[in-house]
Amino acid sequence: MATVLCGTCAWGDHEDFYPKRVKPNERLEYYARYFPLVEVDSSFYAIPNPKYVERWAATTGPGFTFNMKAFKGMTGHERSLDPRQRAELFPHFRHAIQPMVESGKLGALLFQLPPWFVLNRENVDYLRVCREFFHDVTLAVEFRHRSWFQGEMRAKTLQFLRGEEIVNTIVDEPQVGDASIPAVAEVTEKSLALLRFHGRNEDTWYIKDAKHAGERFRYHYQKDELSAWVPKIQELSGQVQRVHVLMNNNFSNYAVQNAFDMMELLGQPVERAPLVTDQLDLFSFE
């Protein structure tokens, strides 16, 4: 059976997880005491400095794993860039993540695609270009438009991903409109099954105001909602070498709590960190 790793998307968003004594530049080291996996979110917003990437790898223990999100200029989120211009960014990003590759701690490179990245020939060809350039790393894609999995396209998309050895990212998210996809729990690359939990808040899924972006993922999974995934995760673990389960409901400490919950449900040893909000409750006399 595959090793199942659980963690959260980003480590800096969980304010209530870190004691006040833990400085911002110490958060990753603290996080790694409790979780074996994290997704680097900052690399989506800017190509990281290789020195920072090297520091991240050095700060964590030998068994720790990072998934990194591809820069938004490469994923199609920067709509002013055409496919050729996006591909021109690849060497710069590859240089930036090289320390993580050399450390052996890069689990996967995730291309999280925008809702307007629909199923068409140009986009299929672009994914082939991505796979060819990043041939030496595990590459995953997360679609955000239903066209990839509607009707007969579902089987064809999965066939394409298998042929290119690209990981199909399995999501748990609100099912509202074209900018959401169903949970397609299918393996397309034998080394990894990747699951990302975005919450199920239908009312906030389409928030565009950056100031309130955190509200989009304001959803705390109940244990029975997570336990329903356990049989599927166990089934996936029999088909791949590794399974990554990441919580992206990064509002308050929801992701941290649910990551601990999932580890417990999977029968993994868990040492729950005392959350700041829990500590405050100890001094409540109400």
Side-chain angles (χ1 to χ4, degrees), residues 3 28 33 81 134 142 154 172 227:
T3 300
L28 176 58
R33 297 180 194 174
L81 302 180
F134 293 101
E142 179 177 330
R154 180 183 188 274
D172 186 291
S227 64

Side-chain angles (χ1 to χ4, degrees), residues 1-285:
M1 301 294 284
T3 300
V4 181
L5 303 182
C6 299
T8 69
C9 296
W11 63 83
D13 293 342
H14 322 294
E15 292 290 337
D16 294 336
F17 176 56
Y18 300 102
K20 290 185 177 180
R21 70 176 185 277
V22 177
K23 300 175 182 177
N25 63 353
E26 299 171 339
R27 287 183 174 183
L28 176 58
E29 183 177 6
Y30 182 86
Y31 173 97
R33 297 180 194 174
Y34 298 95
F35 298 107
L37 171 71
V38 76
E39 181 181 281
V40 179
D41 185 58
S42 59
S43 55
F44 173 79
Y45 297 99
I47 296 178
N49 186 322
K51 291 183 179 180
Y52 294 155
V53 177
E54 183 177 13
R55 189 182 308 160
W56 297 337
T59 296
T60 53
F64 195 82
T65 299
F66 294 83
N67 287 355
M68 297 190 72
K69 290 178 72 173
F71 174 50
K72 63 181 180 179
M74 297 156 45
T75 61
H77 284 84
E78 298 286 359
R79 302 184 77 166
S80 62
L81 302 180
D82 61 32
R84 178 187 58 80
Q85 292 170 314
R86 286 183 233 151
E88 289 175 350
L89 296 168
F90 289 1
H92 303 288
F93 190 86
R94 184 63 178 77
H95 173 71
I97 68 172
Q98 183 61 22
M100 192 67 72
V101 175
E102 292 178 353
S103 72
K105 292 186 176 183
L106 180 64
L109 174 60
L110 171 65
F111 273 70
Q112 184 183 36
L113 304 166
W116 50 87
F117 195 93
V118 300
L119 175 55
N120 60 35
R121 174 58 59 189
E122 180 182 70
N123 288 338
V124 168
D125 289 343
Y126 182 68
L127 290 179
R128 287 195 173 100
V129 172
C130 296
R131 173 72 281 180
E132 182 178 1
F133 185 88
F134 293 101
H135 61 89
D136 60 338
V137 302
T138 300
L139 187 70
V141 298
E142 179 177 330
F143 298 109
R144 284 284 175 91
H145 193 274
R146 282 184 178 270
S147 58
W148 294 89
F149 292 116
Q150 283 183 323
E152 64 180 9
M153 291 300 105
R154 180 183 188 274
K156 291 184 178 181
T157 293
L158 293 172
Q159 182 181 14
F160 163 73
L161 295 177
R162 291 187 179 108
E164 295 296 324
E165 298 184 331
I166 297 174
V167 176
N168 163 52
T169 301
I170 304 162
V171 299
D172 186 291
E173 65 188 28
Q175 296 300 295
V176 284
D178 289 335
S180 61
I181 63 169
V184 180
E186 295 281 350
V187 170
T188 56
E189 208 283 319
K190 62 183 180 181
S191 71
L192 177 67
L194 173 60
L195 297 89
R196 300 179 81 238
F197 287 75
H198 299 297
R200 300 177 181 177
N201 195 333
E202 295 183 359
D203 295 334
T204 60
W205 186 242
Y206 286 97
I207 282 182
K208 295 182 180 179
D209 182 1
K211 183 178 180 181
H212 300 96
E215 292 287 332
R216 187 181 186 205
F217 303 105
R218 185 172 186 168
Y219 189 87
H220 188 269
Y221 286 93
Q222 299 302 305
K223 272 203 170 183
D224 62 330
E225 294 175 313
L226 296 178
S227 64
W229 272 97
V230 171
K232 178 54 65 177
I233 292 173
Q234 292 173 334
E235 180 182 342
L236 291 168
S237 70
Q239 302 175 44
V240 294
Q241 298 168 6
R242 300 166 292 144
V243 178
H244 289 179
V245 180
L246 287 158
M247 295 295 163
N248 193 41
N249 51 333
N250 287 340
F251 181 89
S252 184
N253 55 28
Y254 292 174
V256 168
Q257 290 179 334
N258 284 151
F260 282 136
D261 290 339
M262 183 61 84
M263 292 169 72
E264 289 178 346
L265 289 167
L266 291 169
Q268 299 179 356
V270 178
E271 178 188 356
R272 284 186 178 258
L275 303 178
V276 172
T277 48
D278 295 338
Q279 295 172 21
L280 292 175
D281 289 343
L282 294 174
F283 297 94
S284 174
F285 295 96

